[in-house]
Amino acid sequence: MGYPALDLNSKTAVVIGGTSGIGRTLAKGLAEAGADVVPTGRRRELAESVVGEIRKMGRGSLTAPCDVSDRSSIQNLLDAVLAEFGKVDILVNCAGINHRVPTLEMSETDWNRILETNLNGTLRACQIFGRKMVERGYGRIINTASLSSFVALFEVAAYTASKAAVAALTKSLAIEWAAHGVCVNALVPGLFRTDLTEPLLNGTPRGKEFLVRTPMRRFGETEELVGATVFLASDAASFVTGHLLVVDGGILASGVNQ
């Protein structure tokens, strides 16, 4: 017997950026916890692949590609999910990009591109899905923050600025929507192995530094983010809002590790 408030049966979740990496794992984890899940991203073939995996678990799903830089694309996604399931209980914002470059060399185009996806894209999704949740008087929004919401990461100033802003946006929306039954929180992942991070971390000086700074002395596996996500998505988190839930193997707690 599980804890009933953690059960996501009868809930509908949308995971934007849910077709690869952390987002893909979270989409499948929410489905395992009982939710119908719509994983989406820009590429239809990737979305179809995850939709197939979710349907194999016996959960409802839907292929509806989405680009967070395009407001009408997010609106179309919401409309498609409402037409299929009638409601959205849970929104997970996982779409994000990064680019390492010394800040003196960073072009405004690259700066704007990163903020456009990581910050503005999160805002658009929160506005479009949040309006429906506020009207209904129920919702769970989970944004993706970062260690760089708290501490600087070398030569990724745009990413760092965008993720600090996502943390602040999460708190702002939490206090605006708290009276309407909508909880807005963020996950703060430490270093996790994904196709995107593997080349940056595997045997590199940066990867070694992260391992030295991580008390658990290892990178996380994306499955280790599922429990935190299911909790924030569930009725067990009914009094949790404006919170940044850190899953990082101890990095942010760490001073001297030996």
Side-chain angles (χ1 to χ4, degrees):
M1 286 282 289
Y3 179 48
L6 282 170
D7 190 335
L8 300 184
N9 274 295
S10 83
K11 305 287 190 195
T12 302
V14 172
V15 183
I16 297 180
T19 57
S20 62
I22 286 171
R24 184 182 184 121
T25 301
L26 298 187
K28 290 159 64 179
L30 290 168
E32 280 172 16
D36 295 322
V37 182
V38 177
T40 181
R42 286 179 298 181
R43 290 166 57 186
R44 174 172 286 275
E45 68 276 12
L46 287 180
E48 283 174 347
S49 161
V50 194
V51 165
E53 291 180 65
I54 288 165
R55 284 182 173 152
K56 278 181 190 159
M57 296 180 200
R59 309 300 178 203
S61 194
L62 176 71
T63 302
C66 174
D67 180 351
V68 293
S69 67
D70 178 359
R71 182 172 284 274
S72 64
S73 169
I74 303 172
Q75 184 64 53
N76 291 341
L77 169 65
L78 172 63
D79 293 344
V81 177
L82 291 177
E84 181 75 19
F85 297 102
K87 65 187 173 71
V88 178
D89 302 291
I90 301 153
L91 170 68
V92 182
N93 281 309
C94 260
I97 56 173
N98 197 358
H99 175 56
R100 181 176 177 178
V101 64
T103 306
L104 289 176
E105 314 304 325
M106 171 159 258
S107 68
E108 280 202 30
T109 303
D110 279 341
W111 175 275
N112 290 336
R113 181 174 60 90
I114 290 167
L115 265 74
E116 177 62 28
T117 296
N118 297 1
L119 175 60
N120 299 352
T122 296
L123 171 66
R124 285 186 196 102
C126 285
Q127 283 180 320
I128 288 168
F129 281 81
R131 182 179 297 280
K132 224 40 189 172
M133 290 175 172
V134 165
E135 285 169 5
R136 188 174 153 226
Y138 182 90
R140 298 283 184 270
I141 295 177
I142 303 165
N143 294 325
T144 306
S146 161
L147 295 176
S148 65
S149 301
F150 299 94
V151 295
L153 303 182
F154 191 68
E155 290 184 343
V156 287
Y159 181 81
T160 297
S162 74
K163 291 299 188 177
V166 165
L169 175 65
T170 298
K171 293 176 186 179
S172 295
L173 297 180
I175 65 166
E176 284 190 44
W177 298 346
H180 302 282
V182 180
C183 298
V184 187
N185 296 290
L187 272 182
V188 181
L191 270 293
F192 285 79
R193 289 191 183 282
T194 66
D195 291 342
L196 204 64
T197 61
E198 193 73 29
L200 302 171
L201 300 178
N202 210 6
T204 65
R206 198 181 186 98
K208 286 173 186 161
E209 183 178 350
F210 272 121
L211 287 177
V212 166
R213 288 175 176 269
T214 304
M216 287 194 182
R217 291 290 189 269
R218 65 177 177 85
F219 301 124
E221 301 298 331
T222 54
E223 290 75 17
E224 292 178 294
L225 285 162
V226 170
T229 305
V230 168
F231 166 65
L232 291 176
S234 75
D235 290 335
S238 55
F239 202 57
V240 179
T241 198
H243 183 64
L244 307 173
L245 180 45
V246 179
V247 185
D248 73 346
I251 292 178
L252 289 182
S254 139
V256 174
N257 286 331
Q258 54 194 345

